[in-house]
Amino acid sequence: MTRTQADAFRRDGFVRVPGLFSPAEVAPALSALEELRATVLAGPEKHAVRYSSRPPGPIDVWGVSNIMTPELYDERLAEVLAHPGLLGFVQEVLGPRLRFWTAHALWSPQTVDYELCWHKDNEEHEHYEASGRPTHVQFNVCLTADDAFRVVPGSHRRPLTDAERAEIGRLGSGELPGEVRVPCEAGDVLFFNHHAVHRGSCENGGPRRTLHMNLQAADEPVGGQTSWKFMREPGYLETVHPTLREMMRRTIEWDDAHPISRAEAMRRLRSKRDILARDAKVTR
């Protein structure tokens, strides 16, 4: 991993690292994701799924959150987080000690295309950092070809433009000045700052199979409170990959040391509900 790539990440808010995972490394993760997808599609109501269409219309699911739950955990997917090239990039940007934030799986919808609206994650639309210093590193590990990601380069380092604010406010997916689409191939990793203005767009029936994950520095003061309930279940941490176990332990330790206010907890709950509703509505 080169410093130039880390510098591009800070400057543009994203960088694609081609071929970071070899075909031999992609194969077990892809097999595990296919098995996970089949489990989720067999009973979507049992999981935190992402919809392009849901009742009262036809059910169509394009991903699932929290793939490290006991019900969905697969060592082959946890091993992705221990990949030396991936960790090398994240540690170059954030430092050597990391804490876990999220791990999701994404795939092409079966029948209903989706066009997600422009946003910054967690609805933190007014957050920016002129230096490009990230509070996290988010990344898509592409196990097949994937051109779903669109982003406005540099938008994490400045306030929203009038056009961006208007499009975000109306939950729009129209073209924005300067936007780029980032095509990836199997084995590529797309690292991005979730405070860049971005969205996803995906046609049904395509090949997309992608792992979507996020890590923070162990001592990062922004964010946190992502020690999901399942992570605290007795004996759970002893069942997972050692690298993941250590990052989850740091998440739990940080959260316990930095409780959030009731008002912030309610804001996050409202944000989560808004995002879930948005996933179902923004289709074409």
Side-chain angles (χ1 to χ4, degrees):
M1 193 58 51
T2 69
R3 184 174 295 275
T4 299
Q5 290 168 324
D7 289 343
F9 172 83
R10 296 185 184 95
R11 180 188 68 240
D12 298 330
F14 74 97
V15 68
R16 179 183 69 91
V17 180
L20 188 59
F21 283 70
S22 70
E25 292 167 333
V26 167
L30 179 58
S31 178
L33 194 154
E34 294 287 22
E35 292 173 21
L36 179 150
R37 177 175 174 271
T39 297
V40 170
L41 294 181
E45 72 283 354
K46 301 175 184 178
H47 307 283
V49 295
R50 302 180 178 206
Y51 294 97
S52 57
S53 178
R54 63 182 173 186
I59 295 177
D60 200 1
V61 172
W62 57 272
V64 65
S65 300
N66 295 337
I67 63 173
M68 299 305 174
T69 63
E71 295 78 16
L72 296 177
Y73 179 81
D74 189 306
E75 188 84 355
R76 292 169 294 178
L77 299 180
E79 286 174 352
V80 170
L81 284 169
H83 187 278
L86 188 151
L87 279 181
F89 180 91
V90 178
Q91 290 171 332
E92 173 69 26
V93 174
L94 297 180
R97 297 180 67 252
L98 303 172
R99 70 176 189 244
F100 178 80
W101 193 347
T102 54
H104 312 316
L106 310 176
W107 53 79
S108 301
Q110 295 174 289
T111 58
V112 181
D113 300 351
Y114 71 81
E115 292 278 357
L116 294 186
C117 58
W118 290 105
H119 63 283
K120 295 186 178 186
D121 286 353
N122 297 332
E123 298 193 325
E124 295 173 339
H125 295 127
E126 302 306 325
H127 181 99
Y128 66 92
E129 172 53 57
S131 71
R133 188 194 81 84
T135 62
H136 60 280
V137 173
Q138 193 154 272
F139 47 92
N140 288 348
V141 180
C142 301
L143 305 179
T144 61
D146 184 343
D147 65 352
F149 187 73
R150 300 169 184 257
V151 63
V152 180
S155 54
H156 63 304
R157 295 190 290 110
R158 55 163 176 75
L160 296 172
T161 65
D162 290 344
E164 291 164 354
R165 185 170 282 106
E167 200 67 12
I168 289 171
R170 74 177 190 88
L171 302 182
S173 56
E175 184 175 351
L176 285 177
E179 72 166 89
V180 298
R181 193 166 191 165
V182 187
C184 295
E185 298 296 330
D188 294 357
V189 179
L190 172 63
F191 296 94
F192 65 100
N193 185 322
H194 81 200
H195 291 124
V197 176
H198 67 281
R199 71 181 188 90
S201 173
C202 192
E203 296 181 354
N204 73 82
R208 187 187 197 201
R209 301 290 189 271
T210 291
L211 297 172
H212 176 72
M213 300 174 170
N214 199 322
L215 299 174
Q216 289 192 286
D219 57 353
E220 171 58 52
V222 174
Q225 300 306 317
T226 56
S227 53
W228 307 97
K229 184 178 180 180
F230 68 84
M231 292 164 56
R232 297 174 178 267
E233 293 179 2
Y236 168 79
L237 289 182
E238 283 62 46
T239 70
V240 304
H241 189 283
T243 299
L244 177 63
R245 180 187 311 144
E246 185 60 29
M247 290 191 290
M248 284 185 168
R249 279 180 174 157
R250 289 172 183 154
T251 300
I252 292 170
E253 291 169 359
W254 195 95
D255 287 0
D256 287 347
H258 301 85
I260 59 175
S261 67
R262 181 178 178 82
E264 174 60 13
M266 292 302 296
R267 185 198 72 80
R268 294 188 183 198
L269 179 60
R270 288 192 299 270
S271 175
K272 180 179 179 180
R273 289 173 177 169
D274 289 346
I275 291 168
L276 290 175
R278 181 186 309 155
D279 283 351
K281 291 178 180 176
V282 183
T283 62
R284 66 178 182 183

